Amino acid sequence: METVLTALATLCVVANAAIAVADLIPARFVLQNSAAVGVPRGSLPLLAALKGSGAVGVATGLVWLPGLGLAAAIGLTLFYVGAVTAHIRAGVFRTLGFPLTYLLLAAATGVRFLSSWVHRARLP
């Protein structure tokens, strides 16, 4: 199970790094989706920084500091809860699958760090 969760955490890093770059460019689909949800274009660099920081934190957690990885996973989870909420409040359901997917990846990443911590705590 840890292998699957680590693979999902790695995918979380790659996906968040990629969408952070798309926010910075900004890609056409990012502009269309953010406009539909009511996110101002000027907010995209901040959103990119949050997603990119989350990706760096999770990556760092995977190779060096698990506590930082857990904190980053929690931050990304909360971020994507907000994104899903924004989609629902705006009535934009056609693209709801994207923030839901990112939310699930972030939550699985948090589970990975928590389960690893619990496993280490049980060892003598």
Side-chain angles (χ1 to χ4, degrees), residues 103-118:
L103 173 59
L104 292 174
L105 285 172
T109 300
V111 169
R112 187 259 183 226
F113 285 111
L114 280 174
S115 67
S116 177
W117 178 73
V118 168

Side-chain angles (χ1 to χ4, degrees), residues 28-87:
R28 182 180 306 160
F29 75 92
V30 170
L31 292 173
Q32 291 170 342
N33 192 46
S34 60
V37 176
V39 173
R41 184 176 180 164
S43 298
L44 292 177
L46 173 61
L47 299 178
L50 292 171
K51 295 170 190 177
S53 297
V56 170
V58 170
T60 303
L62 288 171
V63 297
W64 186 35
L65 297 169
L68 179 60
L70 176 59
I74 291 169
L76 285 171
T77 300
L78 293 173
F79 177 89
Y80 287 113
V81 165
V84 167
T85 302
H87 274 73

